[in-house]
């Protein structure tokens, strides 16, 4: 929990330091909902989940020449039950192209996932944490009165993670080899002046080769999350 509070503080400090410096648009929000996770052959479990996310436009498109805006941001996701569910945090940045009601962008994103321990053959294995480089495509469409309503979809294939050994891991396994993975996220919301409300659904899937690094498929993971949130638009 102390580590998560530290990451929340970092995201907030980043946003509040950047907004005055660039004088551009930014958002800061909180979310709450439910996550469902399934690892390998284990039954699916659910938990309450909460998060914080923020984004700032560090460079607006040129009014004369056009071109993309540059955004940067981050998010933290924390389950109430970390014994069976993963904690995550991410930072990202990249260009966003806007034409009328449509915005399209590609971000470079670094995500760290703290996986829960696994039980196999009467032994407890502390799964290694994963560090991911992701390149999600984001498509956002604004509509309605003054374009205050919006829908947004985001997704990307997963690349091979970099594994970090968990603290106090009593059993060492070879690093598993990724077969394939992906994530998809969809959001819908509405802007009420300086405030906004949104609902989000996300699904994420990892499948690793069945070898010595992934006994009984303990690293194979599917998660589905649905959340609602509110926030500020600066």
């Amino acid at each position: 929990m102390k580590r998560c509070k530290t990451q929340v503080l970092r995201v907030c400090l980043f946003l509040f330091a950047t907004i005055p410096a660039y004088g551009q648009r930014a958002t800061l929000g909180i979310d709450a909902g439910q996550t469902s996770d399934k690892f390998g052959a284990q039954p699916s479990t659910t938990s309450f989940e909460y998060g914080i996310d923020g984004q700032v436009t560090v460079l607006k498109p040129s009014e004369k020449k056009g071109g993309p805006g540059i955004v940067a941001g981050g998010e933290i996701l924390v389950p109430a039950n970390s014994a069976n569910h993963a904690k995550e945090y991410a930072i990202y940045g990249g260009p966003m192209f806007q034409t009328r009601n449509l915005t399209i962008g590609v971000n470079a994103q670094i995500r760290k996932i703290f996986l829960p321990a696994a039980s196999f053959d009467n032994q407890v294995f502390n799964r290694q944490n994963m560090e991911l480089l992701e390149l999600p495509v984001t498509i956002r469409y604004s509509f309605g009165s003054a374009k205050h309503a919006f829908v947004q979809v985001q997704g990307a294939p997963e690349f091979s993670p970099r594994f970090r050994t968990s603290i106090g891991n009593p059993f060492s396994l070879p690093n598993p080899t990724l077969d394939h993975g992906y994530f998809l996220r969809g959001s819908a919301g509405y802007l009420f002046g300086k405030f906004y409300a949104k609902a989000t659904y996300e699904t994420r899937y990892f499948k690793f080769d069945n070898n010595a690094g992934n006994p009984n498929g303990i690293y194979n993971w599917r998660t589905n999350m649905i959340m609602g949130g509110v926030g500020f638009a600066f």
Side-chain angles (χ1 to χ4, degrees):
M1 184 61 68
K2 183 177 180 182
R3 179 180 294 173
C4 292
K5 289 181 179 178
T6 300
Q7 298 305 323
V8 170
L9 180 61
R10 287 177 179 174
V11 170
C12 293
L13 288 176
F14 168 78
L15 286 170
F16 289 125
T18 307
I19 292 168
Y22 292 94
Q24 309 291 353
R25 184 174 178 83
T27 60
L28 181 64
I30 55 174
D31 302 276
Q34 179 176 282
T35 182
S36 173
D37 293 272
K38 179 175 174 57
F39 289 93
Q42 298 298 312
S44 177
T45 60
T46 61
S47 172
F48 177 80
E49 179 131 333
Y50 61 93
I52 180 172
D53 62 87
Q55 178 175 291
V56 60
T57 302
V58 296
L59 183 64
K60 286 186 175 180
S62 170
E63 294 183 0
K64 295 182 178 180
K65 299 181 180 180
I70 305 298
V71 302
E75 69 173 3
I76 298 170
L77 297 171
V78 181
N81 177 8
S82 59
N84 296 310
H85 303 272
K87 296 177 291 186
E88 305 179 32
Y89 67 83
I91 57 173
Y92 65 87
M96 299 291 287
F97 297 85
Q98 184 173 1
T99 171
R100 296 186 178 180
N101 294 12
L102 189 65
T103 303
I104 301 175
V106 179
N107 294 322
Q109 180 167 272
I110 298 174
R111 179 174 298 272
K112 186 161 186 177
I113 301 178
F114 298 87
L115 294 171
S119 179
F120 175 59
D121 282 348
N122 297 318
Q123 294 180 335
V124 175
F125 294 88
N126 289 330
R127 295 183 180 94
Q128 297 189 67
N129 300 322
M130 297 193 297
E131 294 180 353
L132 301 165
L133 172 62
E134 299 174 318
L135 300 174
V137 174
T138 300
I139 302 174
R140 179 184 175 112
Y141 182 74
S142 301
F143 60 96
S145 176
K147 301 180 183 179
H148 283 182
F150 66 88
V151 292
Q152 179 174 296
V153 293
Q154 187 180 62
E158 298 288 7
F159 303 113
S160 295
R162 181 168 63 174
F163 289 95
R164 295 293 190 183
T165 302
S166 302
I167 297 175
N169 195 342
F171 299 99
S172 178
L173 293 172
N175 289 342
T177 303
L178 181 68
D179 181 271
H180 67 277
Y182 62 86
F183 87 89
L184 295 170
R185 176 183 293 184
S187 300
Y190 194 89
L191 181 65
F192 302 91
K194 294 293 185 180
F195 302 91
Y196 68 86
K198 68 174 180 178
T200 301
Y201 172 78
E202 178 182 292
T203 183
R204 186 182 297 272
Y205 179 65
F206 288 94
K207 184 179 186 302
F208 293 87
D209 292 342
N210 189 18
N211 53 28
N214 186 35
N216 204 38
I218 63 172
Y219 277 96
N220 296 342
W221 176 35
R222 182 184 297 277
T223 178
N224 295 289
M225 178 184 69
I226 184 167
M227 303 182 80
V230 295
F232 300 94
F234 302 92

